[in-house]
Structure formats: C-alpha cells, structure tokens
Amino acid sequence: MFGIPFTSLSFPLFGGSGKSADELAPTVLSYEKVQELGRELDELRARTVAKLGDEDREYIYNIVKTQRGFEIAGRALMYLPFFPPAWLAGVGALGISKILDNMEIGHNVMHGQYDWMREPGFNSQVFEWDTVCPADQWKHSHNYMHHTFTNIVGKDRDIGYGILRMDQGQKWNPYYLGNPVYAFLLMTFFEWGVMLHDLEAENVIQGKRKWHDVKPLVQGMWRKAGRQVLKDYVIFPALTGPFFVSTLIGNIGANLIRNVWTYSIIFCGHFPTGVQTFTEDETADESSGEWYVRQMLGSANIEGSPLFHIMSGNLSHQIEHHLFPDLPAHRYPQIAPEVKALCEKYELPYNSGGFFKQIGTVWGKIFKLALPDSLTGATPPVGVIVERKKVAA
C-alpha cells in the first residue's frame, strides 16, 4: 500500500466533516474500491464522449471568433495612443486575446480535445499557438511528462519547473532562499519559462544533458521565439508608424497580462494547500484506477463564474482536466458535480476554493519552502492510504 500525506489542517475545504486532521483516521481505499472508482470514472468519460458533437463544435468556433475580435480591437486601438483610455483598452483587449489563444484554444486543442472534428485548424498535431514555446516541445513536457507523471517528485518537472522548491520532497539547499524572487520572475516571464521547460536547463548546467541532446530543442526554440519576437516587437509596432514605441510598450503589456494570469491559474491548480505529491516507489506499476486517484489528489479547482472558467481555459477545473485531459474543457463544469460526488462516495478530498484563497496558499507555500524544513515543521500526517496488489516477482 502507499500513503499520501495530507497537507491541509482540516477537511472542510474538501467537503469533509469539519474535524481537524488529528481527529480523523486516514481514509483507506481497498484495491477493490480503487478499481471500482476507476470503472465509474471510465463510464463517466464514455458518457461524455458520446455527447460530443455540434455543441462542442459551435463552442470552439465561438471562442476563436471572440479571440480574433479582441485581437483586431486591440491592434486597432494601438493607433490611438494620444487618447490614453483607448490605448489602455487596446492593451487589455490584446491581453484577453492572448489569454484565450493560449488557454481556451491552444492548450485544449493541443491536448487533442477537438481532434474528433477532423479539421486542420483544430488538429493537435499541427496546431501552433501565439507564444514563444514551440508546440511540439510543449506537448512533450506537458501532455506526456506532466500528465503521465503528475506530481511524482523526481519525474514531474512541473513541480517547481526546475527553478522553484514547491514540495518538501525536494531537498532544501541555500539556493531556495530565493524562492519568492524566482517565482515572481517566472510569473513575469512565464511564456519564456514554459519555452525553456523541455530543455531542462538545470540539467544542462549540471552536465546531465549534453549539447547534442538539446541542439534540436534550441533550434526549435530559436525559430519559434524569433518569429514571435519579430511579430510582437517589430512588425506590429512598425505598422503603427509614428506610434512604434507606444505600440511596443502595449504589446509588452499584453504579454505581461497573459503571463501573470496564466501562471496564476496554473499554480492555483497544482500547488495550493491540500494538493498531494508522490514518490516513484509509491506509483510504480499503478493500475488505471490508481492513476485516477493520483490525478484527483494531485490537482485543485478554482471556484468562479462561467466567464472566469472561460478565461482560465476551464483549467479552473483542474481535477476534471487531469482525469480527462482529452475531453473538451468546456465539458468540465458539467461533469464536475459527478466527480465531486465520487470523491464524497469514496471519502476522497475534492480540493476546491476561490481564486484568492488558492493563490494565497500557493504564495504561502512558495515563501515557506524557501526555508529549511527544520524551521518550517515536519511533513503532515498521512490522510489517504491506497491498498495495492502485490506485484508478482
């Protein structure tokens, strides 16, 4: 069996009884219960897939139409820097356009959520997005590495992005005293951090990866980032003629809006209080049911309005996304009540909270884990125990 440490002090946030962790014995999931949960989630996925059709097609068409409308408006308003309210509105519109392109369109299309439509513009194999990270590199670091090895310390490089200490399983060293500074810089330049993610720069610096291993990645980054920089910081500013500088500043501002928002949504879905991490030994040879349990315990949701969910690419339903990454994301709010009900049925936490609560605990963790464990306390007690069949010798 493997035990998963709970990092919350109480269960109300996750739909529990309201008692403190010390008053509650760990939840024990038998092997049979885990497999039963897996079958129920498989059935939920199958029911949702059976419904895919015109509703989903119209949804993504409308999102693309809206995204393009905001981009056109933003570009047009850059011609009015002498009227500051219009120029600021342009920066905001362009920022919204980039958020929609990256989160509700790019992220979801590249997960294969719309491959069933068989339309080139929504094909995960050929889609390219409006950011410096090449799509093929992102799909390897995110779709494969992160979604396969979710929250396994030492395997999932999204735990800290090779820069931050986001879990006590990462051994502390003095470098991590800069945790808050590194987090702020990552937030500010998030698209560049995502671009460098598959490079594993820290392993290159340590000599664990050689130049011949990373040369194709660097060449791909150079091509994609070069085109992106040329578009955002040369061509579009030049098109506004005498307003080149104000348009350049506006484009930088729009990218900053997108970076801060994307970073915040992603970190709220992966690192708030209560999200679990795992070891390689605990997850070796796991069944599909055990994989589902790991996704549920290793993710968190953010509560908000329908507009908030759209602007997050529906990654505000990170639990549902990690369970079913290839389902159209706008379906997540529909299936979330069933997922939550399954969590209650099997006495598992359903980590959900408002944006400010979740982001507050994320930044609290960033500051706490900058310090050595001797100053911040011991690892929390086990909250969930999953019984596993012994693997035959």
Side-chain angles (χ1 to χ4, degrees):
M1 63 179 62
F2 65 84
I4 303 163
F6 237 15
T7 54
S8 61
L9 297 178
S10 60
F11 290 128
L13 178 60
F14 312 117
S17 65
K19 297 179 182 179
S20 69
D22 292 336
E23 297 176 281
L24 291 170
T27 295
V28 178
L29 277 182
S30 67
Y31 177 84
E32 291 73 22
K33 287 289 186 182
V34 171
Q35 305 316 308
E36 182 183 338
L37 172 60
R39 286 191 292 272
E40 293 202 59
L41 287 168
D42 284 340
E43 291 170 2
L44 174 57
R45 183 184 187 282
R47 290 197 304 272
T48 306
V49 169
K51 298 176 183 177
L52 300 184
D54 290 342
E55 176 186 340
D56 308 273
R57 185 177 287 105
E58 289 303 314
Y59 178 83
I60 194 63
Y61 286 168
N62 287 334
I63 290 294
V64 170
K65 182 179 179 180
T66 300
Q67 180 268 324
R68 290 175 178 172
F70 273 108
E71 180 172 10
I72 291 171
R75 301 292 184 193
L77 289 169
M78 293 293 177
Y79 286 87
L80 303 173
F82 47 83
F83 185 50
W87 182 84
L88 288 172
V91 175
L94 189 56
I96 291 172
S97 167
K98 288 175 174 289
I99 288 170
L100 289 173
D101 176 273
N102 283 190
M103 304 191 75
E104 185 68 317
I105 301 171
H107 173 275
N108 295 337
V109 167
M110 289 192 293
H111 261 297
Q113 293 180 7
Y114 296 95
D115 282 357
W116 56 271
M117 290 170 54
R118 301 185 182 279
E119 295 185 22
F122 300 100
N123 186 310
S124 62
Q125 299 304 309
V126 299
F127 186 89
E128 192 60 76
W129 54 353
D130 181 31
T131 186
V132 295
C133 181
D136 60 331
Q137 295 185 26
W138 179 85
K139 284 184 286 188
H140 175 261
S141 63
H142 182 81
N143 289 8
Y144 174 64
M145 293 300 296
H146 173 57
H147 277 274
T148 303
F149 306 108
T150 307
N151 281 28
I152 300 177
V153 179
K155 294 287 287 184
D156 182 6
R157 297 188 66 259
D158 278 28
I159 302 177
Y161 289 79
I163 302 170
L164 307 173
R165 186 176 187 235
M166 296 303 301
D167 185 78
Q168 286 187 316
Q170 297 169 279
K171 186 177 180 181
W172 184 87
N173 65 64
Y175 162 84
Y176 289 119
L177 289 171
N179 226 31
V181 175
Y182 311 145
F184 178 80
L185 292 174
L186 179 61
M187 176 180 68
T188 304
F189 302 100
F190 193 59
E191 66 171 323
W192 296 93
V194 171
M195 183 193 74
L196 293 172
H197 195 33
D198 206 35
L199 183 64
E200 299 181 22
E202 75 279 10
N203 289 330
V204 174
I205 294 172
Q206 296 171 16
K208 296 178 181 179
R209 299 194 78 183
K210 305 301 181 183
W211 170 248
H212 62 79
D213 296 324
V214 301
K215 183 179 178 181
L217 297 177
V218 173
Q219 291 173 332
M221 293 174 190
W222 178 263
R223 287 192 297 269
K224 181 63 194 300
R227 291 195 299 268
Q228 201 69 24
V229 168
L230 185 66
K231 175 181 74 70
D232 278 348
Y233 305 134
V234 179
I235 294 177
F236 275 110
L239 289 174
T240 60
F243 308 129
F244 180 97
V245 173
S246 62
T247 302
L248 173 64
I249 294 172
N251 284 0
I252 292 173
N255 281 329
L256 179 62
I257 290 170
R258 184 268 318 280
N259 288 349
V260 171
W261 179 252
T262 305
Y263 165 96
S264 299
I265 293 297
I266 291 173
F267 271 55
C268 280
H270 294 87
F271 303 120
T273 295
V275 167
Q276 319 292 299
T277 56
F278 315 85
T279 68
E280 293 185 57
D281 288 340
E282 288 172 341
T283 55
D285 301 311
E286 65 184 357
S287 66
S288 61
E290 290 163 353
W291 183 88
Y292 274 137
V293 171
R294 175 159 58 86
Q295 305 307 315
M296 297 167 87
L297 296 175
S299 310
N301 285 3
I302 318 168
E303 297 165 4
S305 67
L307 178 59
F308 175 84
H309 296 316
I310 291 172
M311 292 301 296
S312 74
N314 278 288
L315 294 181
S316 46
H317 290 89
Q318 194 69 230
I319 297 171
E320 289 72 25
H321 174 59
H322 271 267
L323 290 172
F324 312 117
D326 60 346
L327 287 182
H330 80 101
R331 293 279 182 175
Y332 296 152
Q334 300 172 19
I335 66 176
E338 292 189 63
V339 174
K340 184 175 182 180
L342 286 174
C343 286
E344 293 174 351
K345 176 180 178 180
Y346 291 95
E347 300 182 63
L348 292 172
Y350 187 80
N351 190 335
S352 184
F355 174 79
F356 292 107
K357 182 170 187 176
Q358 299 290 54
I359 197 65
T361 65
V362 167
W363 279 99
K365 182 181 291 187
I366 288 169
F367 276 88
K368 176 182 177 180
L369 293 177
L371 303 173
D373 294 339
S374 59
L375 298 178
T376 59
T379 303
V382 168
V384 179
I385 296 174
V386 178
E387 294 182 348
R388 310 183 68 193
K389 276 188 174 180
K390 293 183 179 179
V391 178

